[in-house]
């Protein structure tokens, strides 16, 4: 089950499994303000959505955050309902006639957000790359400069829309990552320009507690500092509120489709990803991702719960067969009662190890593995080292692979 750093690995997939615990937190809320839930196996669990996890990994205040990596490479992305007004036509309003800018803006909004897009609430937030927005702004400026009236620029904009049905896709030929690093990693769907869509190279599962949901309703008041109880004011409470708090040990799972990642970042054919291509950025993405999975906490209500924790176990696997989650190791919820066989973390890690060993005997897929884990969560037969070494190993697999 172990692999040395010098082994030659040509993976199709890198899998990242993690165990992380948070006490007294509200990591991810639903529309009612309650912790998200997931019925699974023998119990209902607390859940953290994949969207929540991905956003925190992208936007974390951390040098390894994916938006920092995008900024370093000039391929940042903007996900918004108002990208056209803010970044394309907005800056042009001080230089051109209002009616003319309105005409171009309407054509562009209809093009990308749909016929009912005048109402911002009906729009879907779209992901645009900064290079795409810069190009759209230059096209809008050109249309305005070449027209003499609102009617003229409206007609020109409508022609532009019809003649360039796949304009974002055409821009990709000039700048491979024009749609942003985020699109290359997590995918993008643009219904008005389907050839500009991107398949996600990184797949993220919803994290969930390995045990039954543990919740507490926190009742609290806001005290009025100026209340005068001696003058017959109330007891001093300016408001009475409650919120749900949860505690738990979570299992999370991430898959990196390595050929697609390299293809999305270099433009090579997916089948030729081990060829003579610059895989430095792809390797850096994987290395950063391992750090982010381990070190970055999601969490609402940060001011009142300080939901900062780090993973207690991170297992990385590299192999050439279809990946498979280890979530089913916890289909029967782990008991939270005191157990002489060890701590909750220890028993969870052992359940994962047993499930992994059962898979190995059944399918013999032969993944290479590395681990970083607290002493109580180590898994026999898998090399355990610091996170820095684990992340570097994962990155080297992508960078150094050769057919």
């Amino acid at each position: 089950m172990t692999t040395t750093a010098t082994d030659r690995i040509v993976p199709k997939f890198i899998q990242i499994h993690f165990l992380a615990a948070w006490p007294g937190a509200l990591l991810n809320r639903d529309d009612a303000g309650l912790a998200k839930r997931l019925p699974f196996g023998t119990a209902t669990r607390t859940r953290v959505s994949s969207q929540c996890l991905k956003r925190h990994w992208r936007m974390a205040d951390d040098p390894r955050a994916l938006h920092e990596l995008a900024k370093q490479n000039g391929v940042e992305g903007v996900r918004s309902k108002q990208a056209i007004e803010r970044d394309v036509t907005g800056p042009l309003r001080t230089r051109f006639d209002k009616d003319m800018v309105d005409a171009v803006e309407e054509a562009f909004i209809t093009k990308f957000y749909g016929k009912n897009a005048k109402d911002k609430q009906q729009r879907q937030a779209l992901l645009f790359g900064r290079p795409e927005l810069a190009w759209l702004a230059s096209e809008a400026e050109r249309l305005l400069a070449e027209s003499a009236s609102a009617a003229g620029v409206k007609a020109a904009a409508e022609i532009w829309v019809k003649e360039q049905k796949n304009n974002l896709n055409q821009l990709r030929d000039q700048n491979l990552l024009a749609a942003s690093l985020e699109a290359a990693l997590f995918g993008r769907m643009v219904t008005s320009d389907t050839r500009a869509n991107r398949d996600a190279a990184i797949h993220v599962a919803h994290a969930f507690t390995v045990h039954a949901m543990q919740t507490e309703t926190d009742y609290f008041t806001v005290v009025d500092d100026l209340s005068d109880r001696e003058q017959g004011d109330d007891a001093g409470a300016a408001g009475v509120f409650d919120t749900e708090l949860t505690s738990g040990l979570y299992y999370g799972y991430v898959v990196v489709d390595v050929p697609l990642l390299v293809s999305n970042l270099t433009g090579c054919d997916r089948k030729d990803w081990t060829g003579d291509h610059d895989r430095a950025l792809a390797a850096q993405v994987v290395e950063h991702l391992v750090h982010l999975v381990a070190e970055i906490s999601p969490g609402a209500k940060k001011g009142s719960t300080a939901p900062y924790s780090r993973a207690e176990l991170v297992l990385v696997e590299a192999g050439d067969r279809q990946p498979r989650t280890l979530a089913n190791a916890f289909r029967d919820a782990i008991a939270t009662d005191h157990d002489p066989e060890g701590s909750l973390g220890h028993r969870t890690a052992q359940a994962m190890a047993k499930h992994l060993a059962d898979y190995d005997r059944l399918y013999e897929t032969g993944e290479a593995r590395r681990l970083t884990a607290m002493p109580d969560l180590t898994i026999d037969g898998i090399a355990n080292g610091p996170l820095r070494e684990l992340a570097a190993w994962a990155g080297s697999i992508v960078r150094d692979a050769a057919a």
Side-chain angles (χ1 to χ4, degrees):
M1 293 174 70
T2 60
T3 303
T4 66
T6 57
D7 285 341
R8 307 294 289 179
I9 303 169
V10 185
K12 288 184 179 179
F13 299 99
I14 290 176
Q15 302 178 78
I16 306 171
H17 312 264
F18 69 91
L19 295 175
W22 286 272
L26 185 57
L27 299 179
N28 193 198
R29 292 178 282 191
D30 63 16
D31 57 349
L34 302 175
K36 289 191 174 182
R37 290 156 162 76
L38 178 69
F40 178 55
T42 60
T44 297
R45 325 298 178 92
T46 310
R47 172 173 65 94
V48 179
S49 72
S50 57
Q51 294 91 334
C52 176
L53 293 168
K54 287 185 286 188
R55 178 161 180 81
H56 281 84
W57 296 338
R58 292 197 316 265
M59 306 304 295
D61 183 14
D62 187 276
R64 292 189 178 90
L66 297 176
H67 79 96
E68 290 291 340
L69 189 59
K71 185 185 299 183
Q72 294 165 15
N73 289 271
V75 285
E76 297 171 87
V78 175
R79 188 184 298 277
S80 176
K81 296 181 178 182
Q82 306 176 58
I84 300 299
E85 296 99 313
R86 294 285 185 89
D87 293 330
V88 176
T89 56
L92 301 174
R93 290 192 173 277
T94 59
R95 298 169 48 204
F96 294 94
D97 176 75
K98 177 183 180 301
D99 291 340
M100 293 176 66
V101 177
D102 286 347
V104 173
E105 185 173 274
E106 181 179 351
F108 277 43
I109 288 174
T110 301
K111 160 67 178 172
F112 294 107
Y113 289 103
K115 294 181 180 180
N116 297 321
K118 288 183 179 181
D119 181 359
K120 295 178 183 178
Q121 299 303 316
Q122 294 188 25
R123 299 181 196 172
Q124 178 185 6
L126 293 181
L127 174 62
F128 289 97
R130 285 291 182 190
E132 289 178 334
L133 291 172
W135 178 74
L136 290 173
S138 68
E139 287 294 285
E141 182 176 9
R142 180 182 62 80
L143 291 169
L144 288 164
E146 293 176 354
S147 303
S149 66
V153 77
K154 179 179 181 180
E158 290 175 350
I159 292 173
W160 180 86
V161 167
K162 292 179 181 179
E163 289 183 346
Q164 302 196 51
K165 291 183 179 180
N166 298 305
N167 37 28
L168 293 183
N169 184 62
Q170 292 169 0
L171 179 61
R172 182 176 182 268
D173 295 335
Q174 305 170 34
N175 183 344
L176 179 66
L177 293 177
S180 77
L181 180 66
E182 180 183 340
L185 303 185
F186 299 112
R188 179 175 76 166
M189 184 179 70
V190 183
T191 55
S192 63
D193 196 352
T194 55
R195 293 176 64 186
N197 292 345
R198 295 289 174 270
D199 290 332
I202 297 175
H203 313 153
V204 182
H206 296 244
F208 64 90
T209 53
V210 300
H211 50 75
M213 187 173 187
Q214 296 178 314
T215 66
E216 168 74 10
T217 299
D218 180 30
Y219 167 91
F220 62 97
T221 63
V222 175
V223 177
D224 188 336
D225 291 340
L226 299 181
S227 175
D228 190 341
R229 300 176 68 176
E230 294 182 358
Q231 297 298 320
D233 288 357
D234 57 31
V240 179
F241 307 93
D242 63 73
T243 188
E244 185 173 49
L245 298 179
T246 66
S247 297
L249 176 61
Y250 292 76
Y251 167 77
Y253 179 56
V254 180
V255 175
V256 180
D257 183 330
V258 180
L260 183 56
L261 176 65
V262 175
S263 175
N264 283 355
L265 296 179
T266 68
C268 72
D269 186 280
R270 176 174 175 165
K271 295 180 180 179
D272 185 41
W273 76 273
T274 58
D276 186 18
H277 312 294
D278 184 358
R279 284 177 257 146
L281 180 56
Q284 196 173 16
V285 165
V286 171
E287 187 170 344
H288 283 206
L289 186 61
V290 172
H291 278 280
L292 293 166
V293 165
E295 296 181 283
I296 299 303
S297 293
K301 298 185 71 66
K302 290 183 177 180
S304 59
T305 64
Y308 302 110
S309 185
R310 294 188 178 181
E312 298 178 17
L313 176 152
V314 180
L315 168 65
V316 176
E317 302 183 274
D320 62 359
R321 302 280 290 277
Q322 177 184 297
R324 41 80 197 110
T325 179
L326 298 179
N328 288 329
F330 317 116
R331 189 166 54 211
D332 292 332
I334 304 294
T336 55
D337 297 338
H338 175 72
D339 193 312
E341 293 186 6
S343 68
L344 174 63
H346 176 77
R347 288 181 283 116
T348 299
Q350 293 310 302
M352 178 188 290
K354 181 181 182 304
H355 199 68
L356 191 59
D358 290 343
Y359 268 140
D360 285 347
R361 283 190 293 271
L362 190 61
Y363 293 105
E364 301 177 316
T365 48
E367 289 86 3
R369 296 175 182 135
R370 279 285 183 276
L371 177 74
T372 187
M374 303 285 270
D376 198 34
L377 278 72
T378 57
I379 296 177
D380 291 341
I382 303 180
N384 184 13
L387 181 67
R388 173 182 49 80
E389 292 181 2
L390 179 69
W393 176 74
S396 70
I397 291 171
V398 177
R399 184 178 56 252
D400 302 335

